[in-house]
Amino acid sequence: MPSKRIDYASHIIFRINNLTEEIRKAGGNAVVLNDIATIMYGLIKPVAEIRILADGVDDDSLADIICYSLGMTMYREDILRNLKTINRAVLNPIFIPITIVEKPRKPLDKEILNGYLEFTYENITLYLPRIEYLIAKLIDIGGYPYIVDATTLLLGYIDIIDIDKIATYTDLSGLKFLLENAVDVIEVFPELEDKIRKIRDLIEKIKDSYRTISS
């Protein structure tokens, strides 16, 4: 009798779902960030990193949940120590990519946890940040590939995003620089003229906001 197989993508989603649901069963909250979230918003890319923002459970309980869900019991002390000292645990589980479980440290993190979206398919539920807060979080992390993902999402959702929500949690000069670079990249494509115009409008809006704050 042939064995039942599960594809790698489904395996990753299953493990993430198990971890977030265990946190919620313990009375906490958990939202999936970065690669999984950006893929769910339409980016086509491999999953190189799993990042989960978690809150509402004490460090000991969170360490136990991580160990149970990811099969990393032998590393419990290291996980607990990192949660207590640097507010996150960076893990290298077997059969899934590097996984980071982090606790909220900034107002943006609290906003992500308070305003998440639920995506449910069959018996799997993913809790995702709203698009504006995901972009702001990627910019806040900084560096490659996070800035590239933030720029791509910004361009893809420019017709519907609320730029004020992004600007609230992002350095305005950095956001302006990001948008100006985006224009430099895509202005060679005449079919994107409408998006380019909207980006330039956003740049001017940010300049006005920056001048208001400076004065």
Side-chain angles (χ1 to χ4, degrees), residues 4 35 82 97 211:
K4 183 179 180 180
D35 287 355
N82 288 335
R211 283 192 289 267

Side-chain angles (χ1 to χ4, degrees), residues 138-154:
L138 292 167
I139 295 172
D140 182 65
I141 295 172
Y144 179 85
Y146 311 110
I147 294 298
V148 174
D149 289 347
T151 303
T152 306
L153 289 172
L154 190 59

